[in-house]
Amino acid sequence: MQNVNLSFDIGEFVAITGESGAGKSTLLNVLSGLDKYEEGEYFLNNEETSHYTIRDWERFRGTYIGFVFQDYNIIDSYSVLQNVLLALEVQGYDSKKRKQRALELIDRVGLTSHKHHKASKLSGGQKQRCVIARALAKDCPIIVADEPTGNLDSKSGKQVIDLLHEVSKDKLVIIVTHDYEHVEQYVTRKILMHDGEVVEDKRLKSVELTEAKTIPHVQNMSFGLLLRFAFRNLFSTPKKLIFMLLMQIIVVGVFTVVYTNQISGIRETGLSDYYTNIYPSVPETRVLVEKRDGSEFSIDEINALANNRYTNHVYETGLNFYNDRAIYFKINDYDYSYQISIGDTDTAKALIASDVEGNIPQAINEVALSNFDQYNFEVRDEIELFIGPTQNSFYGGYDVLIDPYYSGGMENDYESIGTFVVSGFDKLNRDRIYFSDAFLKQAYPIVVDPYFDEIAYDRMQNIIYNHLLIETDGVTLSYFSTYKNNDYDASIESYDGNGAPIIETRDFNFIFSDLNYGTYSKTLTDLSVIRYGTLSAEAYIYFDSDILMGVIDEITTNFEDEYISDTPRAIVSLSVDGYHNGTRLIETLDQSVYKIYYPANLADPMRDFLVFLSSVLAIIFLTIFGVFLYSIVHAVTKNVMVARKRDFAIFRSVGTSQATLGRLVVLEQIIMNVAAFLITIIAIQILGANVSLIRAALTYMEFKDYLILLVAFALFGAWLGLRFNRKVFKQTVIETLTSSKDGE
């Protein structure tokens, strides 16, 4: 456009005509603030607008302009009522009167019978009347219409023009049309354009110019209204919603499984299973607890253990699990018999139906076994079970050959605990035997004769050796070993020990401290020492083997019940879901009152470093994996969002500010991601109740982990929305509408 010098007043009904390409629509778009101008000045109420920012033009459109487009620019996924309500909601119209006002306007344009119809189902004339109702809903002083009858038949076109004329009495109505005769009888002024210039500006009728009515104040949308818009937008396109949800659910599910796997790896890092050498039948799903004073548990104490959030079941007769003995069965091969070790003992309640081929044990004489295919067991077969030593020192193995021709034999080392019916097999083959609750709740059905377990004794000494602290002159020595020397009781060697050795006498404190066993100490005085270098924590000390092993032997005597199986001890067995819950359970119990035995106790001194290293690697991996997954989501979401650019442009044309619309887009994406996350977590929890592997992984997930995932997915949804906003808001409303129309 060039050389355009026009002014308009309230009460006029103006027609802008001319050939295609004359600049009619461009002029209308500049007048309405949909498009920008580069030269000249645009005055509004005698005030310049050349300094207007994007926000100023948004405020101008929101308060002054109502739009009627040739292409309707109606939100197809909204109903007629929702399209009209849009203008009222954006304007901040009184929420109590909003719907009533919308229905009045819908009735005024003759669409009451179609108020709940989707706009996509309306005819062209009905769409245009709906747009007029939306324009009137804003109650603004200016209505601009770009070829409002261009796509309508003559009857519908006349109805639209009649409506526009009716509202022009207290408004400025500007119509762009190439069919002037359709509006000729109504217009008060005709403007003819050619090649971007105004070649004719003729006033046809005198009008009584009126003052502009009070401009309604457009309020910012509240969060509640934004939330309502977000849900309306999502549910107005159910097919897209379902598609996007399914895609998000798949991605969230895959990422959550990978995250859970990483978390379980981190939380198992550095865990030791050395207690299984003393308690060979205790798996990670059981924690053994006894009172330090050896007394029986009271009912209140049992109930407290049962009510612990990490405990599944409590078995007061814990020895029914044969914790300190191995479980065997016998098979015959020609002239020989073999005692075959089964492995861990557990409760049948640890099984779920999908784990078992056959049935979960119920009766007192029923058991479930790991799937010993090589022994050709079948459901309902009978099997005799034995308990025996954890290892036989003569044959050196768990599978022990019993030779009837060998004098003395070894049958006396094994005691039969009965014949059982195999009710089912553990499909996961966890090398366990599962006893029924009916069996485990018996009051000690078998009492074992006192038995000294040499292997358990050696393991106990090994634990003491690995946890032993040696202190002298206030310095705790980190490294020690044994040697045989007839001249000195000990030798201390340091990194700086290059000079002459020092002969001295020292006192040593030997301290054994363990979470489960407590603290015991032994002091030896006046030991003769040869020292090379200075005394420091990094120094290495070698003790005469008789001295060091004598101290360890003395400390070991405090734990006879660990390697001598005597009368039944007051031990309860707590059933847990796995390593993570087991270690959490230990943390909740009073260590001064209870001694706790658990295969997964935290014993590795490097655990903190290993956990840190594992965490760093997991973060790197999860970040890379997350970016990969969501690059896929972004590609799909981008296409969906581009398809919605037209709707967002309509929002802007109605008066929604860029900031408000940006928040709306972000909110929609957050809602989508959070909904997908919640659905996925619910689905995973349901699966976990029926699939052991999933259930085991979920035990590592704490509330903070779910919260981390929720926040991560919500932030990613916000990121998607912000990326879309940066692209769509680079364009003017007209550019966005045009690109959407052209399929860009």
Side-chain angles (χ1 to χ4, degrees):
M1 295 187 303
Q2 56 187 342
N3 301 324
V4 174
N5 189 1
L6 299 168
S7 101
F8 303 91
D9 295 289
I10 298 298
E12 290 189 291
F13 191 105
V14 183
I16 302 176
T17 66
E19 298 176 350
S20 296
K24 305 185 299 296
S25 295
T26 303
L27 174 59
L28 195 69
N29 292 336
V30 170
L31 289 173
S32 58
L34 291 175
D35 219 341
K36 54 193 174 183
Y37 62 93
E38 297 173 356
E39 296 180 4
E41 186 58 80
Y42 177 5
F43 295 90
L44 176 66
N45 293 332
N46 297 319
E47 293 182 2
E48 296 179 355
T49 63
S50 55
H51 65 280
Y52 270 21
T53 63
I54 291 176
R55 182 169 295 182
D56 292 328
W57 285 115
E58 289 171 345
R59 190 179 299 113
F60 165 68
R61 290 195 301 268
T63 56
Y64 283 89
I65 306 294
F67 297 90
V68 181
F69 297 95
Q70 176 182 0
D71 295 318
Y72 316 124
N73 286 336
I74 194 171
I75 299 181
D76 289 330
S77 60
Y78 278 17
S79 68
V80 170
L81 178 60
Q82 288 171 335
N83 267 281
V84 178
L85 279 172
L86 171 62
L88 294 168
E89 290 166 333
V90 168
Q91 180 178 298
Y93 200 86
D94 188 342
S95 59
K96 296 179 180 179
K97 301 177 181 179
R98 197 178 292 158
K99 185 173 182 181
Q100 179 182 350
R101 172 65 174 162
L103 292 173
E104 288 173 358
L105 293 169
I106 290 171
D107 185 62
R108 186 174 177 182
V109 298
L111 288 177
T112 299
S113 60
H114 293 73
K115 61 185 177 184
H116 295 304
H117 289 199
K118 286 285 183 72
S120 58
K121 304 297 183 182
L122 301 178
S123 66
Q126 290 169 333
K127 287 182 179 181
Q128 201 64 288
R129 281 185 277 160
C130 179
V131 171
I132 292 173
R134 186 179 68 193
L136 295 176
K138 291 179 66 177
D139 200 20
C140 49
I142 304 169
I143 292 181
V144 296
D146 189 4
E147 300 284 5
T149 62
N151 293 329
L152 305 180
D153 57 47
S154 57
K155 181 180 178 182
S156 297
K158 187 175 186 308
Q159 290 175 337
V160 167
I161 298 302
D162 287 342
L163 276 170
L164 291 173
H165 177 254
E166 182 184 343
V167 302
S168 67
K169 295 180 178 58
D170 60 349
K171 298 180 186 295
L172 166 62
V173 177
I174 305 175
I175 294 180
V176 166
T177 180
H178 64 277
D179 294 324
Y180 177 69
E181 60 274 12
H182 288 169
V183 299
E184 185 175 8
Q185 60 177 316
Y186 301 111
V187 298
T188 63
R189 179 178 174 188
K190 176 184 177 184
I191 296 175
L192 177 63
M193 296 192 69
H194 180 72
D195 287 342
E197 295 187 5
V198 175
V199 297
E200 181 183 35
D201 183 2
K202 183 183 296 184
R203 295 185 182 276
L204 303 175
K205 298 178 184 177
S206 62
V207 295
E208 182 178 347
L209 301 180
T210 60
E211 293 292 331
K213 64 187 299 182
T214 302
I215 305 301
H217 175 65
V218 177
Q219 303 175 2
N220 291 327
M221 281 192 189
S222 65
F223 178 76
L225 187 55
L226 272 177
L227 198 61
R228 186 187 308 169
F229 262 116
F231 279 108
R232 181 187 299 169
N233 288 341
L234 292 172
F235 285 102
S236 64
T237 53
K239 290 182 180 178
K240 285 183 181 178
L241 175 63
I242 293 172
F243 170 74
M244 292 297 295
L245 267 180
L246 287 175
M247 180 188 65
Q248 294 277 17
I249 287 170
I250 292 171
V251 171
V252 170
V254 171
F255 188 82
T256 301
V257 169
V258 173
Y259 177 88
T260 304
N261 179 266
Q262 293 294 310
I263 288 296
S264 63
I266 291 171
R267 290 173 182 164
E268 284 187 17
T269 298
L271 299 183
S272 171
D273 62 351
Y274 62 77
Y275 284 127
T276 56
N277 297 307
I278 299 175
Y279 297 103
S281 298
V282 182
E284 76 280 0
T285 54
R286 289 203 290 125
V287 176
L288 306 181
V289 180
E290 69 174 326
K291 298 177 70 173
R292 289 196 177 275
D293 60 8
S295 63
E296 297 285 340
F297 286 84
S298 67
I299 294 177
D300 289 341
E301 288 172 325
I302 292 294
N303 289 337
L305 292 173
N307 292 329
N308 190 294
R309 60 176 298 193
Y310 299 109
T311 303
N312 291 337
H313 313 287
V314 175
Y315 295 92
E316 298 179 56
T317 53
L319 285 183
N320 282 327
F321 287 74
Y322 308 110
N323 305 312
D324 55 355
R325 294 291 187 98
I327 301 291
Y328 298 87
F329 66 93
K330 184 192 298 184
I331 62 171
N332 296 316
D333 181 14
Y334 299 103
D335 295 329
Y336 300 97
S337 294
Y338 294 86
Q339 299 286 94
I340 309 298
S341 172
I342 291 179
D344 298 327
T345 59
D346 210 343
T347 166
K349 284 189 174 180
L351 294 168
I352 57 179
S354 60
D355 292 344
V356 181
E357 177 186 338
N359 298 308
I360 296 175
Q362 300 288 337
I364 196 169
N365 67 331
E366 288 184 335
V367 294
L369 298 175
S370 292
N371 214 347
F372 293 105
D373 295 328
Q374 66 269 37
Y375 303 118
N376 298 316
F377 283 124
E378 294 182 0
V379 174
R380 306 316 298 173
D381 278 355
E382 291 188 350
I383 180 172
E384 187 176 7
L385 298 179
F386 302 82
I387 56 171
T390 58
Q391 187 180 29
N392 184 277
S393 58
F394 184 84
Y395 287 95
Y398 282 99
D399 295 350
V400 182
L401 170 69
I402 298 178
D403 184 352
Y405 303 106
Y406 173 68
S407 61
M410 287 183 294
E411 294 90 336
N412 292 334
D413 288 338
Y414 300 87
E415 297 185 51
S416 174
I417 59 174
T419 300
F420 295 83
V421 175
V422 179
S423 68
F425 295 98
D426 178 12
K427 294 178 182 178
L428 299 182
N429 204 15
R430 287 169 281 203
D431 192 24
R432 286 175 200 172
I433 183 168
Y434 299 89
F435 292 105
S436 68
D437 255 30
F439 178 81
L440 294 177
K441 289 182 177 179
Q442 297 178 95
Y444 306 123
I446 178 172
V447 177
V448 183
D449 292 334
Y451 168 76
F452 181 86
D453 192 331
E454 293 182 8
I455 302 302
Y457 179 84
D458 291 341
R459 299 303 182 190
M460 189 68 234
Q461 289 207 324
N462 187 50
I463 291 172
I464 294 171
Y465 184 89
N466 288 326
H467 285 69
L468 195 63
L469 300 175
I470 300 175
E471 184 181 81
T472 180
D473 281 352
V475 177
T476 300
L477 302 172
S478 302
Y479 312 101
F480 63 90
S481 186
T482 61
Y483 81 126
K484 187 67 177 176
N485 189 311
N486 295 323
D487 296 326
Y488 303 101
D489 296 324
S491 172
I492 298 177
E493 297 182 5
S494 184
Y495 291 112
D496 60 353
N498 297 321
I502 299 173
I503 310 301
E504 57 190 5
T505 300
R506 284 187 171 276
D507 298 339
F508 290 91
N509 294 321
F510 298 84
I511 304 169
F512 169 66
S513 181
D514 183 86
L515 178 69
N516 296 300
Y517 296 107
T519 301
Y520 298 86
S521 63
K522 171 71 177 176
T523 301
L524 297 181
T525 60
D526 297 330
L527 295 186
S528 60
V529 177
I530 180 169
R531 175 164 57 86
Y532 301 88
T534 58
L535 178 67
S536 66
E538 289 75 27
Y540 214 115
I541 182 167
Y542 298 88
F543 281 100
D544 180 278
S545 57
D546 290 340
I547 292 176
L548 184 60
M549 295 312 298
V551 171
I552 293 175
D553 285 339
E554 186 171 335
I555 296 176
T556 306
T557 59
N558 291 282
F559 308 103
E560 288 188 356
D561 53 358
E562 305 300 332
Y563 49 87
I564 296 179
S565 178
D566 203 341
T567 56
R569 292 156 53 191
I571 293 180
V572 298
S573 182
L574 309 183
S575 178
V576 296
D577 279 331
Y579 282 109
H580 186 57
N581 281 2
T583 54
R584 285 289 179 268
L585 173 62
I586 291 175
E587 293 171 0
T588 64
L589 299 180
D590 188 345
Q591 305 293 326
S592 64
V593 176
Y594 301 116
K595 292 173 67 175
I596 305 161
Y597 310 100
Y598 186 53
N601 218 341
L602 311 182
D604 194 327
M606 295 289 290
R607 173 170 165 76
D608 289 342
F609 171 75
L610 293 174
V611 168
F612 172 76
L613 182 62
S614 299
S615 300
V616 171
L617 294 175
I619 290 172
I620 294 172
F621 173 75
L622 288 172
T623 300
I624 296 173
F625 187 70
V627 170
F628 166 73
L629 283 179
Y630 275 99
S631 63
I632 300 172
V633 177
H634 176 259
V636 177
T637 304
K638 178 182 175 182
N639 292 331
V640 173
M641 296 297 282
V642 167
R644 296 186 60 200
K645 283 171 62 177
R646 176 176 169 275
D647 287 353
F648 294 132
I650 294 171
F651 268 88
R652 293 171 69 189
S653 72
V654 171
T656 308
S657 69
Q658 176 178 323
T660 298
L661 188 55
R663 289 194 291 269
L664 177 62
V665 173
V666 169
L667 187 57
E668 286 182 18
Q669 292 302 310
I670 292 176
I671 290 173
M672 183 79 69
N673 280 34
V674 170
F677 171 76
L678 294 177
I679 292 172
T680 303
I681 294 304
I682 292 172
I684 289 176
Q685 294 292 335
I686 293 173
L687 287 173
N690 298 281
V691 180
S692 289
L693 291 177
I694 297 178
R695 182 175 64 181
L698 288 178
T699 61
Y700 291 90
M701 294 291 287
E702 299 178 350
F703 176 77
K704 66 178 180 181
D705 296 306
Y706 291 112
L707 188 60
I708 289 171
L709 287 174
L710 177 62
V711 171
F713 292 129
L715 288 177
F716 182 80
W719 177 63
L720 283 178
L722 290 172
R723 289 195 64 177
F724 174 77
N725 289 344
R726 284 197 296 270
K727 182 173 181 180
V728 75
F729 291 132
K730 288 180 180 179
Q731 300 175 310
T732 65
V733 175
I734 288 300
E735 287 171 340
T736 304
L737 289 172
T738 302
S739 64
S740 300
K741 181 180 177 181
D742 294 339
E744 295 180 4

